[in-house]
Structure formats: structure tokens, C-alpha cells
């Protein structure tokens, strides 16, 4: 992530420990006082249907000891934990996570007990959005939407300069209605954007329509480039649905910029050019947002989680000083 | 608006003068220290293509003298002015108003010069939303969308407890895409929600499809009630488009409540019941908002404008005390 000599992306601050818990892997690292990311590791996230939150927190406890043993010179003063799903950052509760299996899990309290440190608990996509806003492509914008388009589609909203969570339920751009006559979505609704425009949907839809067993959206884009009409239709449907959904967000929220990350963003101009063109055509007097490639890549979630832990440490220090 | 003896809806505070400038009429009133609305009047808004902003501000100046002469016991310490269109509340500029004809008009500065008082300048729909939030149906909600459905469709967003303006461009719910294959909208885009679901669109679409020269959406609803199939289709299209557009707002913003006002809201259960049912059917894990009838009616804009003027007066007093 950073070379041994490079100053860290986070800048100087208190040392913290950060965990970005995903449905498959958990990323973790110590962040030094100089902002360097130390001992970055990726560990399978344990799945225990009988005690899903307990299993994840036990793993966080074991990883904490491992990081501290490995890097004895760094003493973190707070821990950051981000998880997917519906997250109530105020109460510290994981409301729901379909891939991890918990409901109303008091992750913050459990992690505080397991680590003996104050815990900043948050949502993985909002953490990534916060990192892009403070360190990456969304820097300098007050009103900005940060999209992650991969297997699914998620978004993080920064409005009036501040992250907006809607009680943990906001930013479900992937589960906004794209086609009322479309396919059932895994979430239980019909025709969600995610069923047409995610990298996962592009792959699946092309496979179904062509019988061609491609392994990713990149293969579909390549096929479209060679003139494959099915691939072109699937790709164009995804771009058009994204443009329509973004046009609606623009009408309602008028972001100055839309930051696009995740696997599909790696398509570069093949995505950004037609998307920008179609979005432009769908708008009239609306404020036109810049479409910008995300900067921080896969580590945005971990960096945002570390930022939240540092914020918590600073708040605690300020309280203690009073 | 209030009887001579009733305490005013705004409660006690500084006396102010408020102007809600509409495309047809300007509403104005003095607000007493006890919060009563005094001398409420409705005056045609002057339209002067050569100097649209100047004509409106000249009228505001004349109305100011009239109100002061009429109610000599009340000395306003600030003026509130709200206008339609695109409004930059920070710079005090009316960016654009199609029905008034201005572009980049420095209304705040002009009104300060014309009245000799500090001026709180804002957007009519956001002023109405603020009034509903502080005095009406949106009270107690932190994340709430306030809709006004009449000739057009506008909305005001309160997010995280604060009004969200998006640089003056947010809340254009009526100009969010409803039907990509739909009718051209006056704004220049295609298939805006306003072309299907406003009271104006319902009337126009029914007239066009039936040849029946109805004068309002109420007539269409009445015809639907007698089994007129064209009226039922037009009404159902409006409800369905509204439900779909709201479902998208719910996915992205997760409001706790959606407040619905404007002429169409007067349909009551004929609107709220099917709308709630369809919205419910379109959602899955999303946070389900309460659908609530607006409370303040036509005067919400004027009340919100007066609140803004009082806020400004309080801020100036606090500055002066430092």
C-alpha cells in the first residue's frame, strides 16, 4: 500500500487500528502516527450462522493481538470497524447484513469489550466515501455522490460537506427502481438498478442471453468492442440505466460531482464517455455534475475506517482535556 | 389567517416583514412580536421583461411602505423575500426564474437598498418546507421530504435536521425523469415527473385524451370515481409515477417522512391511499417513510419566509452584542 519510507496517505495523527469487514474478507491494518499503513492483511471473514456477530468480533480480537505483536512500537488508541449492510452509526449497531447474517448486532459494544479500546463503528461504503472526500477524488466538493459499482452498486452521500446516512438506510442507489417490468432483485424488490447495471448483472445478463460463459463485465465489454450485438445491448442497457438513475439523483440532490469507483469503473472511458453523454442528454436546467474516477481504489474503505478511528480518538482526547 | 386575539403561528420574536413572491401573486405581511400575521395581502407580481428583478423589487418597496403605514405600531427589523426558480441563498441571487424572467438577479442586495433593512433571501418551496419542519407536519423529523404538488411539482429536503439546497439546484423532484419515452417537458427535458403527476398534467392529459374540457385535477378524480376509464387511467398513471419516483428517493435518501401539500394533496385518501400502497409494494428492506398531509397550506411559504427573516434578525443581534 505504501513503501516503507513513504509518508502515509492519512497524514500524521494518533495511531489506530482499522478493520474493514467484508462479506468474504476482512482487511485490517495498524495506522502509525505518521499515517503509514502498517501490517496490512486480508483474512477470511468467519461466518457462523449461530453467532455471526460473535464470530466476526472474536476474529477482530485475535487480529488485534496479532497486529500488536507484529508491530510492537505502535500503540493504537482507538479501533475503527466498518461493515456492510444496514448500519446505524449512532447506536453502534449492525442493523442487517445479508452476507454476514446478523440482525441488530451491537458490534461497537462487542468490539470495545474484545479490544479494550474505544471503537468507531461505521458502514463500509460510507467509510470509503468519506476517505474519497477527505483524501481522494471527492476532495473539495461539498455535495458529492460516491458510487461503488462492482458485484453490486452502493453509494455514499456527502451533502453540505457532511456524510449523510439517513439512519443507516441512505445511499441504496443500487436498490433504486430502474425498470418496473424488470427482473426480481435479491433484495425482494423488482427491477433494481443493481439487476441491470452492476458488473455482476452485466456478466450474468450476457451469459444468459449469449450462452457464452464469460467471467466478468470486462469480457462483455471486450465482446461489445468486437461488435457482438448481445454484448453491446447488455452494456448499453447498463449505461442507459445508470444514466437515468443518475439523472434522477441530479434532479433531487444536485451534486457537484459523482465519483465512480469499484470494478466497473476500471472500464475507464468505455464507461465514463457514454455515461456522461447520456446523462448530459437527460438533463436540462439541472446542475451538471463532474463525473470523476475514484482515486483510492480498494483500500478506500480501510482508510475511511482509520479516519473514523482517528476522529474518535481526537474527540475523546478533547473530552478528557476539558 | 389568525383572529385578532389568537397568538400567532410563529410564536414570539422580532417583528419582521415577509414577501412570498410567486409567478402570479406576491403575498406579504407583517409579523408582530407576538407572532401574529398582520395585514396579509396578495398583490399581482409585476412582470417587466426589460427589468424583471427591478420591477419586483420596486413593488416590494411600495408594499413595505404600505404595510408600515397600515400598521404603525409594528417596526420590522428585517425583511424576508422568497422567490421561485433557482435560488442561491448564500450569495442572495435569483439564478433563474422562468415565470418571472430573471437570470442572476441580485435580489437580496436590491431589496436591502429598497427597504433599508437586512434581507433574508430564499426559495419559496424551501421556505415552505422549513415552515412545515419548524411549525407543521414535518416537525420532529430529522430526514424529511416536503412535496408541493400543484400546477408543477416541487420539493424541499431537510436532511440530518437541516435544509439541503444543493447550491440552489436541489429538490427538483418534478423535473426528475419519470418516463424516458414520455412527453417533452417545458424545462427542455423529456418525461419529467411533472408532465405526468402534477395536478396540471392530470388535467391536461385527461383533456387531451377525453376531449372533456375539465378545469382541474379534482374533475378528473370525480370522473374516475364515476368509472370513466380515461380518467382512471390518467389518475392511476399519476399515482404510479409518483410512487416510482418516491421509491427512488426512498432508496437514496431514506426519509422518515414525506410531507405532501399543494392542490393535489387536497384529494386526500384518493391520493394518499393508492400512493402509499404502491410505494409500499415497490420497497423491500428500505426505510419506509410516513406519508403525511402538509399542515400549513398555502401560507407555508410566507411563514417560512418570516422565519428566515427572524433568524437573520437574531443573527444580526447576536453579532451586534459581541
Amino acid at each position: 500500500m505504501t513503501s516503507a519510507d513513504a509518508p502515509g496517505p492519512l497524514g500524521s495523527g494518533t495511531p489506530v487500528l482499522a478493520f474493514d469487514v467484508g462479506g468474504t474478507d476482512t482487511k485490517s491494518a495498524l495506522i502509525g502516527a505518521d499515517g503509514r499503513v502498517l501490517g496490512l492483511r486480508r483474512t477470511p471473514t468467519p461466518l457462523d450462522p449461530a453467532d455471526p456477530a460473535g464470530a466476526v468480533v472474536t476474529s477482530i480480537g485475535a487480529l488485534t493481538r496479532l497486529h500488536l505483536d507484529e508491530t510492537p512500537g505502535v500503540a493504537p488508541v482507538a479501533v475503527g470497524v466498518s461493515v456492510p449492510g444496514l448500519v446505524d452509526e449512532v447506536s453502534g449497531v449492525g442493523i442487517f447484513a445479508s452476507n454476514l447474517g446478523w440482525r441488530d448486532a451491537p458490534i461497537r459494544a462487542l468490539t470495545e469489550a474484545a479490544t479494550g479500546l474505544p471503537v468507531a463503528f461505521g458502514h463500509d461504503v460510507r467509510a470509503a466515501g468519506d476517505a474519497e472526500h477527505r483524501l481522494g477524488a471527492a476532495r473539495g466538493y461539498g455535495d458529492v455522490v460516491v458510487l461503488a459499482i462492482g458485484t453490486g452498486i452502493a453509494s455514499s452521500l456527502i451533502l453540505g460537506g457532511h456524510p449523510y446516512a439517513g439512519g443507516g438506510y441512505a445511499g441504496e442507489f443500487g436498490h433504486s427502481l430502474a425498470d418496473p417490468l424488470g427482473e426480481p432483485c435479491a433484495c425482494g424488490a423488482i427491477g433494481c438498478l443493481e439487476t441491470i447495471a452492476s458488473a455482476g448483472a452485466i456478466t450474468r445478463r450476457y451469459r444468459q442471453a449469449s450462452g457464452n460463459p464469460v467471467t466478468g463485465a470486462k469480457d462483455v465489454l471486450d465482446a461489445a468492442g468486437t461488435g457482438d450485438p448481445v454484448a453491446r445491448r447488455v452494456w448499453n442497457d447498463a449505461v442507459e440505466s445508470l444514466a437515468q438513475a443518475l439523472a434522477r439523483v441530479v434532479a433531487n440532490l444536485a451534486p457537484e460531482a459523482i465519483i465512480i469507483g469499484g470494478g466497473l469503473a476500471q472500464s475507464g472511458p468505455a464507461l465514463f464517455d457514454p455515461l456522461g453523454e447520456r446523462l448530459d442528454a437527460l438533463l436540462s436546467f439541472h446542475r451538471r455534475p463532474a463525473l470523476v474516477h475514484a482515486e483510492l481504489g480498494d483500500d478506500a474503505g480501510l482508510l475511511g475506517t482509520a479516519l473514523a478511528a482517528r476522529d474518535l480518538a481526537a474527540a475523546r482526547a478533547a473530552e478528557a482535556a476539558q
Side-chain angles (χ1 to χ4, degrees), chain A:
Chain A
M1 191 175 223
T2 53
S3 82
D5 300 313
L10 293 157
S12 62
T14 51
V16 295
L17 188 51
F19 297 89
D20 181 2
V21 179
T24 308
D25 289 335
T26 294
K27 276 194 235 171
S28 59
L30 270 168
I31 312 298
D34 58 358
R36 280 192 296 153
V37 176
L38 306 165
L40 177 65
R41 60 171 61 227
R42 191 185 278 266
T43 313
T45 302
L47 299 176
D48 178 354
D51 183 12
V56 164
V57 173
T58 299
S59 167
I60 287 174
L63 284 165
T64 297
R65 287 184 291 278
L66 200 63
H67 280 287
L68 296 181
D69 288 351
E70 252 180 21
T71 315
V74 176
V77 296
V79 173
V81 177
S82 295
V83 303
L86 295 173
V87 171
D88 186 342
E89 279 139 0
V90 177
S91 66
V93 168
I95 302 169
F96 176 63
S98 61
N99 45 6
L100 293 171
W102 62 53
R103 277 182 191 278
D104 298 323
I107 308 286
R108 185 170 64 206
L110 293 172
T111 308
E112 284 177 345
T115 63
L117 289 169
V119 172
F121 175 66
H123 184 246
D124 55 357
V125 178
R126 285 197 290 279
D130 195 42
E132 288 288 352
H133 188 227
R134 292 165 69 174
L135 307 171
R139 238 184 349 238
Y141 292 114
D143 306 324
V144 56
V145 175
V146 182
L147 294 185
I149 312 180
T151 311
I153 299 180
S155 79
S156 167
L157 305 174
I158 290 116
L159 302 176
H162 299 285
Y164 173 73
Y169 290 83
E172 294 290 353
F173 183 63
H175 296 286
S176 66
L177 177 65
D179 180 0
L181 304 174
E183 300 172 34
C185 179
C187 81
I190 301 289
C192 290
L193 181 63
E194 194 166 296
T195 68
I196 304 172
S198 64
I202 291 169
T203 309
R204 181 179 44 73
R205 285 162 64 91
Y206 178 70
R207 269 197 212 136
Q208 286 171 355
S210 70
N212 187 341
V214 292
T215 57
K218 171 93 175 52
D219 298 337
V220 182
L221 180 59
D222 289 345
T226 67
D228 175 339
V230 176
R232 292 178 71 151
R233 177 171 58 73
V234 167
W235 185 264
N236 290 344
D237 283 355
V239 169
E240 181 65 27
S241 297
L242 263 178
Q244 292 185 8
L246 287 178
R248 290 162 179 142
V249 167
V250 166
N252 285 297
L253 293 179
E256 297 160 276
I258 295 166
I259 313 297
I260 308 181
L264 202 69
Q266 291 168 17
S267 312
L271 174 69
F272 281 76
D273 289 355
L275 182 61
E277 206 172 286
R278 284 301 301 146
L279 177 59
D280 203 54
L282 292 169
L283 299 176
S284 62
F285 65 91
H286 312 79
R287 178 155 78 165
R288 278 157 210 253
L291 294 188
V292 184
H293 201 296
E295 275 179 18
L296 300 178
D298 276 355
D299 294 324
L302 190 71
L303 294 176
T305 305
L307 286 168
R310 278 191 164 181
D311 290 348
L312 177 65
R316 291 292 170 91
E319 277 168 29
Q322 277 184 343

